[in-house]
Amino acid sequence: MKPLIYIHGEGTFDTYRAALTAAGAVPIIASDSVPFSTCHGLLLPGGGDIHGQLPPEERVLIRSFVENARPILGICRGMQALNVYFGGTLYDFIPGHQVPDTYPVHPTTAAGLVAKLLGPAPVVNTNHHQAVERLGRGLVVCQHAADGVVEAICHASLPILALQWHPERQSFALRRADATDAAPIFYHFIRQARSQLCATSEN
């Protein structure tokens, strides 16, 4: 049996779905029709801007996974949402990290979990104008760009990893010759979700 990964929203999320499937999971995409409590992991995708607090339904969703120590992978807006959930703040606009209709790449410096998965200097894509300002409680920076912009965070004690960039756009079928293979990000996330699946099955 494959772990179920919940993606909250009303889009098709084709690139996220393809990456999760390639890594060995079953993506469940819904806005409110599927009970997320039955899923073994949560992927928070990219999307619109965040101004102030998160929508109440998003806070409830994140809280459910946090309180039960189920793994979360945040991507782009998903990383920003997690930072805000844990009490952090965001820059509303940073220059040089967004080019319309494309995903240019740039070098970064990694530490901790991201360095373990991708090496100490992964080259990643970029397409955002908001970014982490003050870090949320319990979160640790594990990747940053040359200009200091935070590119990845993880939680000190929970199975949470979040990336400002888009690993689904440089892995598997969308693997890029000019960027680091990001498939290990998804394999790591699915391993964590599979552990949840095994624990649930035993109970």
Side-chain angles (χ1 to χ4, degrees):
M1 184 176 177
K2 297 180 179 180
L4 307 178
I5 305 300
Y6 186 84
I7 305 176
H8 180 74
E10 298 179 348
T12 57
F13 300 113
D14 290 342
T15 55
Y16 300 102
R17 186 173 67 247
L20 289 171
T21 301
V26 176
I28 304 295
I29 301 171
S31 56
D32 56 11
S33 59
V34 175
F36 52 78
S37 60
T38 64
C39 293
H40 309 105
L42 170 65
L43 190 151
L44 294 171
D49 290 353
I50 298 172
H51 298 291
Q53 295 300 309
L54 298 177
E57 63 274 14
E58 190 170 23
R59 293 192 63 83
V60 169
L61 173 64
I62 295 173
R63 183 183 304 119
S64 172
F65 282 81
V66 166
E67 290 180 346
N68 292 282
R70 288 182 289 166
I72 302 174
L73 177 62
I75 295 176
C76 198
R77 182 194 180 280
M79 182 178 99
Q80 297 160 8
L82 286 166
N83 190 59
V84 170
Y85 176 85
F86 285 104
T89 60
L90 303 176
Y91 291 111
D92 280 333
F93 179 81
I94 56 166
H97 283 258
Q98 187 173 51
V99 178
D101 302 319
T102 188
Y103 287 79
V105 298
H106 62 91
T108 67
T109 300
L113 178 58
V114 173
K116 180 180 178 181
L117 295 174
L118 302 181
V123 175
V124 302
N125 60 64
T126 185
N127 190 0
H128 65 100
H129 65 88
Q130 288 193 307
V132 166
E133 181 183 28
R134 188 182 73 245
L135 202 60
R137 296 180 300 275
L139 299 175
V140 178
V141 175
C142 46
Q143 186 185 16
H144 59 83
D147 61 2
V149 168
V150 175
E151 294 286 347
I153 56 177
C154 59
H155 196 276
S157 59
L158 294 169
I160 294 175
L161 173 63
L163 312 166
Q164 184 56 71
W165 49 283
H166 287 262
E168 79 284 0
R169 291 185 176 273
Q170 59 183 77
S171 58
F172 305 112
L174 296 180
R175 174 79 171 89
R176 294 177 60 157
D178 61 349
T180 302
D181 183 6
I185 295 291
F186 289 99
Y187 287 132
H188 169 75
F189 178 50
I190 300 312
R191 281 195 301 270
Q192 291 180 317
R194 190 171 289 115
S195 295
Q196 282 289 318
L197 170 59
C198 292
T200 301
S201 299
E202 291 173 358
N203 294 332

